[in-house]
Amino acid sequence: MSFKADAAHSSPFAREQRAAPAQALNLRAIDKTDGRAIHRLVAQCPPLDLNSLYAYLLLSEHHADTCVLAEDQAGQVLGFVSAYIPPRHPDVLFVWQVAVDPRARGRGLGRRMLRHLLERPAAGAIRYIETTVGPGNAASRAVFGGLARQLDADCTDSALFGPELFGQQEHEEERLLRIGPFRSFQYHGRGEPGRPGLFMPEVRRLF
């Protein structure tokens, strides 16, 4: 089925949008030396699932171009986004986790990291965004529903991982949200030297 989120719903991202301007941070791709810091950060961000340190090392090795790390001027890690492009679906970006240190919340950091990711050359072929959310996670549904509106794209909701697949863990169903198709555009902004950055104009207004 398709849905559009209630614009009046107050999600953490919406609260960030009304907060004070964000501090100067360095947003970059992750590398293997970041694994322990990422693991510690996610541990501070329930209800995110804390994966093994090895999982975050694999992300740094195989998916660095679609993951984002935010650090302050002292080098402290304050934010992390993990995403990847499924091998069989090169036009899909699957967003796995968005984590923001409690000290940096309310400053729009989650949106800044996602914008940074969408501006990378690696996002040039993306026409769909996918993520999984539980039925009761109204905040995430509002965020991705709002993103779909800004992209002028449908957001479909379908079954993916039922609770029985998680064994004895008390874990609710994870449903698949799929946004798209949408277009991507180039602009002469931030990016690698000599190469244009990538962004979707509608997304710029969202973040």
Side-chain angles (χ1 to χ4, degrees):
M1 69 177 183
S2 298
F3 76 93
K4 295 295 184 182
D6 182 358
H9 180 82
S10 179
S11 72
F13 287 78
R15 289 193 294 271
E16 286 183 355
Q17 191 172 23
R18 294 191 295 267
Q23 65 188 96
L25 296 173
N26 179 38
L27 305 184
R28 61 173 175 81
I30 65 174
D31 63 47
K32 63 184 66 176
T33 64
D34 298 316
R36 286 180 293 178
I38 292 170
H39 189 263
R40 287 194 299 268
L41 172 64
V42 176
Q44 299 178 62
C45 298
L48 288 182
D49 290 331
L50 179 62
N51 300 294
S52 69
L53 176 56
Y54 183 64
Y56 296 114
L57 291 173
L58 286 177
L59 283 172
S60 71
E61 183 68 16
H62 297 154
H63 302 294
D65 289 342
T66 52
C67 294
V68 180
L69 194 80
E71 57 188 3
D72 64 15
Q73 295 179 344
Q76 296 188 50
V77 173
L78 297 178
F80 168 66
V81 169
S82 60
Y84 62 89
I85 300 172
R88 296 182 181 179
H89 303 284
D91 59 348
V92 172
L93 180 70
F94 185 88
V95 178
W96 187 3
Q97 291 186 314
V98 179
V100 176
D101 187 286
R103 296 170 295 173
R105 292 174 189 168
R107 304 174 185 173
L109 179 54
R111 294 188 305 278
R112 291 177 61 195
M113 291 188 293
L114 289 169
R115 181 179 63 191
H116 176 84
L117 176 56
L118 290 171
E119 289 173 349
R120 288 184 183 173
I126 298 303
R127 300 297 178 267
Y128 297 88
I129 293 174
E130 294 183 348
T131 192
T132 62
V133 298
N137 193 339
S140 289
R141 287 174 175 273
V143 169
F144 285 96
L147 176 58
R149 288 194 305 273
Q150 296 296 324
L151 292 170
D152 193 24
D154 289 334
C155 184
T156 61
D157 178 342
S158 60
L160 186 61
F161 301 129
E164 73 281 357
L165 297 176
F166 293 94
Q168 296 182 351
Q169 296 183 31
E170 293 186 4
H171 199 298
E172 68 176 352
E173 172 186 18
E174 290 281 350
R175 298 187 63 83
L176 178 69
L177 301 187
R178 178 176 170 89
I179 298 172
F182 50 78
R183 295 181 302 156
S184 64
F185 300 86
Q186 290 189 337
Y187 81 108
H188 296 284
R190 293 170 307 182
E192 297 179 9
R195 301 180 63 179
L198 294 174
F199 91 122
M200 301 163 192
E202 297 89 346
V203 174
R204 172 178 278 182
R205 293 198 298 271
L206 173 69
F207 296 110

